[in-house]
Amino acid sequence: MTRRQVWGLALAAFVAGGALVFVVVSVQEDETSPVTVGTARPAASQVPTTRAELVEAWTAELKHAGKELPKGWEVLTTDEIRGRYVHQRVLNAPSAEDIDPGMERRVDE
């Protein structure tokens, strides 16, 4: 065999080996579990951003609790209104008993 024939044979073996690897990898089954996609979450905050929206939302939360806007609320900053709105929203959140009655569990058991 000439030197050129040896190089040709080596090149042909390399190409055949690459093709064989490609075939084996492409027909091999994927053993990983399928990816699950959760529900989409809102990208933006659900807390209102403008002062007018905050006052409206805070008023609704207070009304839900049977309360009214406190006297002098107009002098509060937007950040203070936001804090009071979020606080009232947390207070109005349902308790565990309201969500799932009868599912009382003791921690020490």
Side-chain angles (χ1 to χ4, degrees), residues 31-70:
E31 296 178 9
T32 60
S33 60
V35 176
T36 58
V37 178
T39 57
R41 295 190 176 126
S45 172
Q46 293 181 347
V47 176
T49 54
T50 66
R51 183 178 177 89
E53 291 172 343
L54 282 166
V55 170
E56 182 180 339
W58 185 31
T59 304
E61 289 294 330
L62 288 171
K63 184 177 179 183
H64 179 66
K67 300 177 182 178
E68 294 180 358
L69 288 171

Side-chain angles (χ1 to χ4, degrees), residues 7-25:
W7 278 107
L9 187 59
L11 182 63
F14 182 75
V15 170
L20 181 62
V21 167
F22 178 76
V23 169
V24 168
V25 169

